[in-house]
Amino acid sequence: MPVRDHLMDHALGFIERVVRIIALWFGGVVLFIMMGLTVVDVIFRDVLNAPIFGAEDLSRLALLIVVATAVAYSGRTGGQVAVELFSDALGPGITRWTDKLVRLIGAAMFTVLAWRLLINGRDAAIYGETSQGLLLSHGPFYYILAAGMGLYALVLAVEIFAKTGDGEAPPSEEGL
């Protein structure tokens, strides 16, 4: 195995472990907390006629964290929808290059998105953008989204260079 392929396998394995830890541990814990908050809020609202103040704000922001932590993992494990209209007709050689081009465009797009989210986070802090009930600043949540989108851009960039001979990135060990 050439040194380049060996390094790319290690890079892809490292990225895969990072996105798995972030999605399953951090995102999973936040999802579990969001689930508990929702259950308790429904019980308080329907049984005791006393909803939890700010539960909707917390649920929305928690959902944002779950999405931000899951995007890179979902992309790496093949959990996102892909439409392959021309792959059979074009053949593996052209498909290999179109896959690389699509990943390159995606990496560029998600890098720009992460950059804009960082700017929005700064602006949210400057202008006092907050949630409605609890008045939680939106700034940190923009930064969390920026980190998630940046991580997915990194996953796509590494996958461009970690291709096997058939044009596909090596499959995730975790799978779905």
Side-chain angles (χ1 to χ4, degrees), residues 84-173:
E84 299 177 4
L85 296 175
F86 303 110
S87 59
D88 290 336
L90 295 177
I94 293 176
T95 301
R96 185 176 315 117
W97 286 104
T98 58
D99 284 349
K100 286 184 180 194
L101 179 64
V102 166
R103 281 184 170 85
L104 179 65
I105 292 168
M109 181 184 75
F110 277 94
T111 300
V112 170
L113 180 60
W115 168 64
R116 288 302 309 170
L117 285 164
L118 288 172
I119 292 171
N120 287 353
R122 183 202 62 201
D123 290 347
I126 290 171
Y127 299 118
E129 198 175 309
T130 63
S131 63
Q132 290 182 359
L134 296 176
L135 301 178
L136 297 172
S137 175
H138 284 173
F141 297 96
Y142 278 114
Y143 296 140
I144 291 169
L145 270 174
M149 300 308 119
L151 186 58
Y152 186 42
L154 183 61
V155 166
L156 290 170
V158 169
E159 284 181 347
I160 290 169
F161 298 105
K163 295 296 202 176
T164 60
D166 62 357
E168 291 297 317
S172 168
E173 294 174 14

Side-chain angles (χ1 to χ4, degrees):
M1 173 183 279
V3 173
R4 180 197 166 278
D5 291 344
H6 186 67
L7 288 174
M8 291 314 303
D9 284 347
H10 280 294
L12 195 59
F14 176 75
I15 294 278
E16 203 164 282
R17 285 189 301 276
V18 168
V19 298
R20 184 180 312 126
I21 289 168
I22 290 171
L24 299 182
W25 288 105
F26 187 65
V29 167
V30 172
L31 183 63
F32 188 75
I33 291 169
M34 187 176 90
M35 178 189 67
L37 175 66
T38 302
V39 168
V40 171
D41 185 46
V42 167
I43 291 169
F44 273 46
R45 184 179 51 233
D46 292 347
V47 175
L48 303 174
N49 199 23
I52 298 173
F53 177 72
E56 186 175 335
D57 282 355
L58 292 174
S59 291
R60 285 181 183 180
L61 296 174
L63 183 59
L64 180 142
I65 292 171
V66 169
V67 168
T69 59
V71 168
Y73 180 75
S74 173
R76 180 62 199 122
T77 58
Q80 297 173 349
V81 175
V83 178
E84 299 177 4
L85 296 175
F86 303 110
S87 59
D88 290 336
L90 295 177
I94 293 176
T95 301
R96 185 176 315 117
W97 286 104
T98 58
D99 284 349
K100 286 184 180 194
L101 179 64
V102 166
R103 281 184 170 85
L104 179 65
I105 292 168
M109 181 184 75
F110 277 94
T111 300
V112 170
L113 180 60
W115 168 64
R116 288 302 309 170
L117 285 164
L118 288 172
I119 292 171
N120 287 353
R122 183 202 62 201
D123 290 347
I126 290 171
Y127 299 118
E129 198 175 309
T130 63
S131 63
Q132 290 182 359
L134 296 176
L135 301 178
L136 297 172
S137 175
H138 284 173
F141 297 96
Y142 278 114
Y143 296 140
I144 291 169
L145 270 174
M149 300 308 119
L151 186 58
Y152 186 42
L154 183 61
V155 166
L156 290 170
V158 169
E159 284 181 347
I160 290 169
F161 298 105
K163 295 296 202 176
T164 60
D166 62 357
E168 291 297 317
S172 168
E173 294 174 14
E174 178 72 18
L176 289 174

